[in-house]
Amino acid sequence: MPVDASPYDAVLLLSFGGPEKPDDVLPFLQNVTRGRGIPDERLREVGEHYYAFGGKSPINDQNRALLAALRASFDEAGLELPIYWGNRNWAPYLTDTMREMAGDGVRRAVVIVTSAYPSYSGCRQYRENLEDAARQVPGAPRIDKLRHYANHPGFVGSFVEATAKALGELPEGSAIAYVTHSIPTAMNATSGPDGNGYVDWHLDVAAEIDAAIEHRTGRTRRSDLVYCSRSGPPQVPWLEPDVNDHLETLAADGVPGVAVVPIGFVSDHMEVIYDLDTEAARTAAKLHLPMARAATPGTYEQFVTMLRDLVVERAEAERGEQPARPCVGALGPGWDDCRSDCCPPLRRPTTKEAV
């Protein structure tokens, strides 16, 4: 029996985007940093991360795999909605996708964003992208964003399984390092409705994984929240410690090993395969510190089913029903609609500051 998806007639997968070949790298980075005045010479330095992997980010292929997994899950459940895909910074561009949706007669859609936590760059900027695209497309559909899903059992449960597997590859008593993308401390201070939402949500998720692992193993272990992918001018404070600095601390403290768990990421894109699988792995090897990296949710069935269920949940809420809103931890379920003052943008550095 088909699932009632009204008032929605489509789903949009919205992601960051990434280059597909070496010639794409510099234009892609120019898109990402537009308006910040960062010179091409600096962007080419950053581009070396991509060139080390053939000039291709894995994120687009991962989104294609996620689209296929969502389609199969929707079909299995009887959720008869078309699924579109658009990116912020590379093809398929969001505006082009929204134009396609309008041409297909889509009037109202729900959007799945591949970012699980509240912050300007992880939430409000995507909402601004949607608004900008809608202004450029006559007859653009209305699009509602799913609630933040970092503390949904489907997201947390995926990381519990991945963390347990990583720990199983390490010496007894190994620590856990939960990793997410660093952001300016000022951005964290205004993230979420009441501030500090970015860090608070990550800490809440980490605590839930810790509790599940302790329940399985019967032992507590050291765990810390650390960061990767810091960028921007050095005089601007960003969240710390960096994962590489933290590995040095663990080695100095005599920890027998570390499971690196990228709870800030839904799939193995560049920040994971370069910052963790390349740089952090190199640091750990230099320190003779055994390290295992836990998998991201990607297309795990538990994660894909969660996304499908969230679409149904939002449809029920929009019809005035009272759907169950599964979540774990202390913070409660995410909100469907963001306040106008939630996660405001930061002042961009000038060209001189950015260099």
Side-chain angles (χ1 to χ4, degrees):
M1 179 180 296
V3 173
D4 186 1
S6 63
Y8 298 118
D9 49 10
V11 172
L12 170 63
L13 179 67
L14 178 55
S15 194
F16 193 80
E20 304 257 27
K21 58 184 184 300
D23 287 347
D24 296 342
V25 172
L26 182 58
F28 163 74
L29 292 173
Q30 290 169 332
N31 286 345
V32 173
T33 60
R34 183 177 292 113
R36 302 187 196 181
I38 299 177
D40 287 351
E41 292 76 13
R42 179 65 180 273
L43 297 181
R44 289 190 182 94
E45 293 177 13
V46 176
E48 292 301 322
H49 297 180
Y50 292 91
Y51 297 134
F53 294 90
K56 180 177 181 177
S57 167
I59 192 171
N60 283 342
D61 283 345
Q62 288 162 5
N63 281 324
R64 293 182 182 102
L66 180 56
L67 285 167
L70 284 169
R71 182 71 274 157
S73 183
F74 280 25
D75 291 345
E76 180 183 14
L79 188 58
E80 298 175 349
L81 290 175
I83 309 173
Y84 296 82
W85 170 34
N87 286 327
R88 172 189 289 174
N89 295 300
W90 201 250
Y93 287 105
L94 174 58
T95 301
D96 295 334
T97 300
M98 195 171 290
R99 190 172 290 113
E100 178 187 3
M101 295 170 72
D104 289 345
V106 175
R107 291 294 170 259
R108 191 168 180 188
V110 62
V111 60
I112 299 169
V113 176
T114 58
S115 176
Y117 296 86
S119 71
Y120 173 74
S121 57
C123 180
R124 181 167 179 155
Q125 190 171 11
Y126 282 107
R127 293 190 287 112
E128 291 175 348
N129 297 150
L130 289 164
E131 293 166 1
D132 290 343
R135 282 193 289 268
Q136 299 177 56
V137 177
R142 170 181 167 179
I143 298 183
D144 298 328
K145 181 180 175 293
L146 293 182
R147 65 178 169 104
H148 299 294
Y149 50 79
N151 62 358
H152 191 287
F155 188 78
V156 174
S158 296
F159 275 113
V160 170
E161 297 302 324
T163 303
K165 184 175 184 298
L167 287 169
E169 302 170 7
L170 294 166
E172 190 71 17
S174 292
I176 303 173
Y178 296 107
V179 188
T180 191
H181 202 301
S182 185
I183 62 173
T185 57
M187 184 181 291
N188 172 61
T190 59
S191 62
D194 303 309
N196 213 59
Y198 186 75
V199 169
D200 286 348
W201 274 62
H202 280 87
L203 290 174
D204 201 44
V205 169
E208 287 300 306
I209 301 171
D210 279 346
I213 295 297
E214 180 178 349
H215 179 75
R216 290 191 182 195
T217 63
R219 65 172 299 162
T220 59
R221 65 186 68 242
R222 175 172 180 170
S223 71
D224 302 271
L225 177 62
V226 300
Y227 303 91
C228 69
S229 307
R230 188 207 191 283
S231 61
Q235 67 271 23
V236 176
W238 283 54
L239 295 174
E240 297 178 338
D242 178 78
V243 59
N244 294 283
D245 296 336
H246 181 65
L247 294 177
E248 293 185 0
T249 299
L250 292 179
D253 290 347
V255 172
V258 59
V260 172
V261 185
I263 59 170
F265 305 94
V266 303
S267 64
D268 291 2
H269 45 80
M270 188 57 67
E271 288 85 352
V272 176
I273 66 169
Y274 184 84
D275 292 42
L276 302 185
D277 294 351
T278 305
E279 283 194 332
R282 186 185 301 132
T283 298
K286 180 186 68 175
L287 296 167
H288 304 290
L289 176 67
M291 169 186 148
R293 200 266 290 172
T296 50
T299 56
Y300 279 12
E301 182 179 1
Q302 196 173 10
F303 177 62
V304 174
T305 300
M306 176 203 77
L307 295 177
R308 182 193 73 197
D309 291 347
L310 285 172
V311 170
V312 176
E313 174 193 304
R314 184 61 189 265
E316 291 173 346
E318 291 302 310
R319 294 197 301 268
E321 301 172 20
Q322 299 296 319
R325 297 171 67 83
C327 69
V328 295
L331 299 179
W335 46 95
D336 285 342
D337 298 305
C338 296
R339 289 189 341 208
S340 60
D341 61 344
C342 189
C343 301
L346 298 180
R347 182 184 68 86
R348 293 296 189 193
T350 65
T351 301
K352 183 176 180 180
E353 291 172 331
V355 176

